[in-house]
Amino acid sequence: MSRGSGSPFRPYDTSFTNDVRKALGIRGLMPPVVESFELQKNRCLEQIAMKTTSIDKYMYLSNLRNTNTDLFYRLLIDNMREITPLVYTPVVGEACQKWSHIYTQPEGLYLSWSDRGNLRNVLENWPAEEVDIVVVTDGSRILGLGDLGVNGMGIPVGKLALYVGCAGIDPRKTLPITIDMGTNNEGNLGDPMYLGTKMHRVTEEDELEFLDEMMIALNDRWPGLVVQFEDFKNPFPSLERYKNTYTAFNDDIQGTGAVILGGVMSGFGRSGIPLAEQRLVFMGAGSAAVGVAKQIVELFIKNGMTEDEARRKFWLVDSKGLVTNDRGDHLAEHKLFFSRDDNSGQQFASLEEVVDYVKPTALMGLCTTGGVFTESIIKKMAAMNEHPLIFPLSNPVHKSECTFEQAMKWTDGKVIFASGSPFPAYTHNGVEHIPGQGNNMYVFPGIGLGAILCQSTHISQDMIYASAAGLAKSVNDEEKAKGWLYPDLRRIREVSVVVAREVIRAAQAGNLDRKKNLQRLNDAELDEFIKKAMYDPCEPSSSHIASRVPSGSSSPVSEERGRF
Ligand SMILES: NC(=O)C1=CN([C@@H]2O[C@H](COP(=O)(O)OP(=O)(O)OC[C@H]3O[C@@H](n4cnc5c(N)ncnc54)[C@H](OP(=O)(O)O)[C@@H]3O)[C@@H](O)[C@H]2O)C=CC1
Ligand SMILES: CC(=O)C(=O)O
Ligand SMILES: [Mg+2]
């Protein structure tokens, strides 16, 4: 029996039938009316609407998730477009910034530097018998908000809520982890309420040693579980170290790479420009930018280019300007592959200079800096291209390189657009346009679901590529006709089935699947298997409740009280 990101009990739940109330000995502990999920959801929506700040809505929803897990997930699944921004980007960003001040209850596992050598024992404290998936952060680069230390816990909690809502992972088998390696955020260090250890960050080498111990301990307690690394400032060393040893992947490099690859597969077609003529400028040369660029390189190679031809289609700009071999600084390892050598000694310090020089067909923003896609730059993109591809992908909203409204106005509606955080619809020339959301939430839930169901030994590059192809396939004719790059978020569970299926097929092709009997299923049968495995919260029946009551316990209400 577990609590974790979801309590299996529904104390005082007004949807309990009279039989259930009698069987549990809880008659009278709640109002007499037996309610449907529908009514309960409507009350929740009313209560959310009464809250005047986003953070109040976030706290309300966190409390609901912890006290009435099934209702929370029904609400999320049935109101995906409205609730996702409240539990994920953008509001989760603000929640993380305020985490130590809004904290009310434990929602994940904190592994501290002082626990090193003892991590296996600390894991024993996690109350769930089974865990299928972990999302872990060290809080060092939370969205585009920098080092938030343990306040970053909102991210693993939020990502796992989407695993459950978008892909039907059992909430009782999810584990959010924040490793507390110290923080270099002086605001946190000076904050009396900061909930992490008040010390500067340990070295990268020390952190890697700590992660080694954590990975061994996790796989010892829950063999073969999936581990998603999230929002690490330098995620490359851990990805290289664990990708061939454990069932692990990095969402910011690989998940983001896949979701944007899925979007450009559709976007390049809409732009009408052949792949060979595409020229992509990236503002940002960090983990997400390099992850995205490398995935698109793979697309180019699959379409006949050599690796060298493919990498030359990219110009990456970091905080010092265009990344070139002769810029005079020491380039981080991950930038070398895309570093330019054709600049004839010329250096370009600003994005606008790079745009003038490259004349790109596409502009990707992954630089954590709001507003850098200026009116002048976007107008140049529109002058150079019939349909410029402009993706401001940094999160949360105020870090977005431009807004949807700006991109639409400054290109006179010609833009092919996707952003990391959601933007409202915009009406141009009397037609309402809905912006695409190029966020890894379209793929990571399906990647995790696929890996869990086929019990894959690793998460290979082919599985990541397959997730992007699955996403691109999921855009239906109606969505294509509207010019959308991504499917309607309200269909995300259908999309996750396709993504999971493609991920499983790629695992099978690479002989990484341990659950071999799925190989016998055709695609329709495999989809059915996946759908049946997905958690789908339903109204409680007597048997449903009985299966959740531990033997010897007469009432889950009294049993549950005082836990944690
Ligand atoms: N839409 C999505 O699904 C996702 C979005 N993201 C977003 O992408 C952003 C970047 O994440 P990530 O790559 O992991 O972060 P990193 O810290 O690894 O990289 C940030 C990059 O931006 C560069 N940069 C920072 N400020 C500027 C500036 N003013 N001008 C030009 N370049 C600048 C940095 O330069 P330098 O190298 O010189 O320091 C670095 O290359 C975040 O906002 C994150 O929220 C991330 C993952 C998924
Ligand atoms: C979406 C995401 O993973 C990020 O912004 O880091
Ligand atoms: Mg992230």
Side-chain angles (χ1 to χ4, degrees), residues 141 143 155 159 230-231 251-252 256 440:
R141 192 284 283 151
L143 305 177
I155 289 295
K159 292 265 175 187
E230 190 70 45
D231 289 8
D251 183 41
D252 297 296
T256 315
N440 47 33

Side-chain angles (χ1 to χ4, degrees), residues 209-340:
E209 237 177 75
F210 186 93
L211 286 173
D212 282 349
E213 185 189 341
M214 183 194 80
M215 292 301 279
I216 291 169
L218 280 171
N219 279 276
D220 186 49
R221 175 140 195 218
W222 298 290
L225 85 175
V226 175
V227 181
Q228 170 173 322
F229 285 76
E230 190 70 45
D231 289 8
F232 284 68
K233 177 67 193 163
N234 181 9
F236 294 99
S238 55
L239 177 60
E240 283 314 305
R241 206 163 169 109
Y242 305 131
K243 70 180 182 189
N244 296 322
T245 331
Y246 297 107
T247 314
F249 73 108
N250 184 284
D251 183 41
D252 297 296
I253 302 172
Q254 299 173 291
T256 315
V259 84
I260 302 310
L261 173 61
V264 301
M265 280 173 173
S266 311
F268 285 159
R270 270 193 63 207
S271 74
I273 299 172
L275 293 189
E277 288 168 35
Q278 292 288 348
R279 302 161 71 81
L280 295 95
V281 166
F282 279 61
M283 187 59 165
S287 43
V290 168
V292 170
K294 285 227 165 131
Q295 292 293 343
I296 302 174
V297 162
E298 204 173 325
L299 172 73
F300 288 161
I301 292 173
K302 282 187 198 294
N303 281 276
M305 286 182 214
T306 64
E307 184 179 87
D308 198 49
E309 283 165 348
R311 85 182 166 84
R312 286 176 174 279
K313 303 242 151 261
F314 298 83
W315 286 259
L316 270 51
V317 182
D318 65 12
S319 61
K320 299 191 185 74
L322 182 66
V323 177
T324 60
N325 285 352
D326 58 356
R327 197 170 67 174
D329 59 331
H330 174 75
L331 294 180
E333 176 97 15
H334 63 268
K335 298 179 185 173
L336 295 177
F337 183 75
F338 291 106
S339 177
R340 304 294 307 192

